[in-house]
Every structure is written in C-alpha cells, then in structure tokens.
Amino acid sequence: MLRAVKITPKLVVRFAFLPFRKVRNPCLYCPGICIASCPTYLSSGNILLSPIGYARFHDIAREKCLKCWRCVQECPLGYNLPETYSKPVKISLRIVRPGRLILVADEEIDLQLAEHLSESLGTGLAVVKGVAERYNNGSPIEYKTLKKAKRVLSGAELAVACSPEVSHALGIDFLGIHLKDLGIKLNYEGPIHIPCLLKSQREKLLKSLEDAGVRPTFVDEEECIKLSIKENYLYLCPIAKKHGVRTIFDLISY
C-alpha cells in the first residue's frame, strides 16, 4: 500500500542530516553551521580556530578551543565536539555535609567559595573531582562515574551547582536559579553576563535573579569570559573572581 508523506520543514531537516548520523565525526561533513557562535573564530576570523578546524586538529583544539560548548548548543545533532579532544575523565563525588539542600562544588573550581556559602546558609555540601579537567581539556565524563555521582546526590531534596561547569557536567541546576530556596536577596542594577554553559537555563535564571532583586540594564550572553572581561558587569562564574571583577557571590549577604 502506498501512503502519501507530508513534507514538512522538520522532515526535510531530518533527511538533510541523515548522512551525518552514519559517521563518527559529523563536523567533517558540515559546512560550519555553528561557527558564528564560536568565540575563538569570531575574535580571530581564522577558520582553523573554529569547530571546523578543531574537528580536524585536536592538538590545536585542546590548546585553543575554550570548551564553552556553544558549538554543541548550535549543532542540529547536538554533537559533543569538545568531548573528542581527550580521553574520558573519571569523576568522584562525596558528601562533606549532608542536608535537605546541597551545594555542589568542584575541588579545583569553587570549593573554597562553596564551603563558605554552605556554612553561612546552613546547607549541605558535596565536593566533586574531575569536572575542571572536562572544561580544561574537553574530556567526556566516564558514564559509570557520572551515574554514581548522581546516585549519591539523589538522596538530597535539592542539589544545586555553585559553578556553571558543575551544573553543565552533572545536569543539575545552577545556584542562581534557586536563590529563593536559599533565602538569598540581592541588590544590583546594571549589566549582567550569562555564562556560555548556562544559556539553556537563561529564562529561569533571569527570572530568579530579578525576583531576588537584580535589575538588569543589559544581558550579555555573547562574550566569553575566557576571552573578554568587563569591569562594570555582574558575573555569575566563580572563576570571574580571579579576574577581580564583581560576581553574584560578592552580593550575597549572610
């Protein structure tokens, strides 16, 4: 029996990208759908410093790619290009202080900050190891260790990440989305920066910030903190503190 097939834009796209699903690295066959979102390409204009180049030259990618995952967010297939640069990394997670609400921090990225926050806010605290390596080298997380980490956190009513990196790696909400749950009020008016790794949480994040007392005059989600820092912006990344700029954590009163 013959059946008529309705041609829709979605169906056309699915057929157009069907060959990509049959190859190990679809970036090698893509004309560069994502390069307009790549910070290193936009700042240099050099095609070598773009996902097209990084897909072919992993040595360059490990050094030059910012591991911001913007190319993955723009890719129609959601292909994790940065995860092809290096071998898988094992992560481990331990509960330092149990609690109904647990702050999760990476040992290298934001542990000291999280310890202070946890003690001041009266929350639990969990420490993960290995996440920093993922966003330095682009390493994929070994699935078994990721599954185990999530199982350890499953006992908490709510687990939130203190950094965009931990949020993205573990698939848990960023602290900024749960300011009300943490009893945090902020007082700030001015431009704010949305980290690359939190773009998928943008709407929830902005609402939470505004409910907590942040009044954004401009929202910058294009610049990457690893390439550009503006002194008058409010940043959500703990690593911004290393650059001496104001972060959301500086506004939290205990």
Side-chain angles (χ1 to χ4, degrees), residues 65 67-69 71-72 79-86 134 137-140:
C65 172
K67 292 83 180 179
C68 64
W69 258 256
C71 58
V72 181
Y79 181 66
N80 278 291
L81 175 62
E83 292 189 354
T84 66
Y85 303 158
S86 301
R134 171 174 169 80
N137 302 325
S139 306

Side-chain angles (χ1 to χ4, degrees), residues 19-20 25 31 34 39 53 66 78 85 95 119 130 132 134 145 171 177 222:
F20 290 179
N25 188 345
C34 66
L66 302 181
Y85 303 158
I95 302 293
E119 184 177 345
R134 171 174 169 80
T145 63
I177 291 178
E222 299 305 323

Side-chain angles (χ1 to χ4, degrees), residues 38-91:
C38 176
T40 52
Y41 173 71
L42 293 176
S43 64
S44 68
N46 186 345
I47 200 69
L48 186 62
L49 303 182
S50 78
I52 291 178
Y54 298 148
R56 291 160 173 79
F57 305 101
H58 287 174
D59 288 343
I60 295 175
R62 280 189 287 271
E63 179 185 354
K64 299 295 184 180
C65 172
L66 302 181
K67 292 83 180 179
C68 64
W69 258 256
R70 287 194 179 196
C71 58
V72 181
Q73 295 166 2
E74 294 295 325
C75 177
L77 301 179
Y79 181 66
N80 278 291
L81 175 62
E83 292 189 354
T84 66
Y85 303 158
S86 301
K87 296 179 180 179
V89 59
K90 294 181 180 180
I91 64 169

Side-chain angles (χ1 to χ4, degrees), residues 52-229:
I52 291 178
Y54 298 148
R56 291 160 173 79
F57 305 101
H58 287 174
D59 288 343
I60 295 175
R62 280 189 287 271
E63 179 185 354
K64 299 295 184 180
C65 172
L66 302 181
K67 292 83 180 179
C68 64
W69 258 256
R70 287 194 179 196
C71 58
V72 181
Q73 295 166 2
E74 294 295 325
C75 177
L77 301 179
Y79 181 66
N80 278 291
L81 175 62
E83 292 189 354
T84 66
Y85 303 158
S86 301
K87 296 179 180 179
V89 59
K90 294 181 180 180
I91 64 169
S92 61
L93 185 144
R94 59 189 173 90
I95 302 293
V96 175
R97 186 183 301 114
R100 178 187 66 83
L101 192 155
I102 293 182
L103 301 183
V104 187
D106 179 76
E107 193 174 75
E108 293 183 38
I109 298 172
D110 55 348
L111 178 54
Q112 186 175 359
L113 170 65
E115 287 176 332
H116 181 60
L117 278 174
S118 174
E119 184 177 345
S120 301
L121 298 173
T123 71
L125 176 65
V127 179
V128 63
K129 183 177 181 180
V131 169
E133 184 176 340
R134 171 174 169 80
Y135 297 98
N136 288 334
N137 302 325
S139 306
I141 297 175
E142 190 174 277
Y143 177 71
K144 288 184 179 179
T145 63
L146 176 61
K147 187 176 180 180
K148 183 178 179 180
K150 289 189 173 185
R151 187 166 59 246
V152 173
L153 290 176
S154 64
E157 185 176 318
L158 178 64
V160 297
C162 291
S163 71
E165 290 86 353
V166 170
S167 172
H168 187 263
L170 300 185
I172 60 177
D173 283 349
F174 176 62
L175 172 148
I177 291 178
H178 294 279
L179 298 176
K180 183 177 180 180
D181 297 313
L182 292 164
I184 294 174
K185 285 290 183 181
L186 306 173
N187 183 18
Y188 172 80
E189 182 174 0
I192 65 173
H193 177 264
I194 302 291
C196 304
L197 298 175
L198 296 182
K199 290 187 73 173
S200 63
Q201 302 179 41
R202 180 185 187 278
E203 298 306 321
K204 289 182 179 180
L205 183 55
L206 287 176
K207 186 180 186 308
S208 176
L209 288 170
E210 290 171 359
D211 289 345
V214 173
R215 301 173 297 282
T217 57
F218 177 70
V219 178
D220 181 3
E221 52 185 320
E222 299 305 323
E223 295 286 345
C224 182
I225 192 174
K226 293 182 179 179
L227 281 183
S228 175
I229 290 285

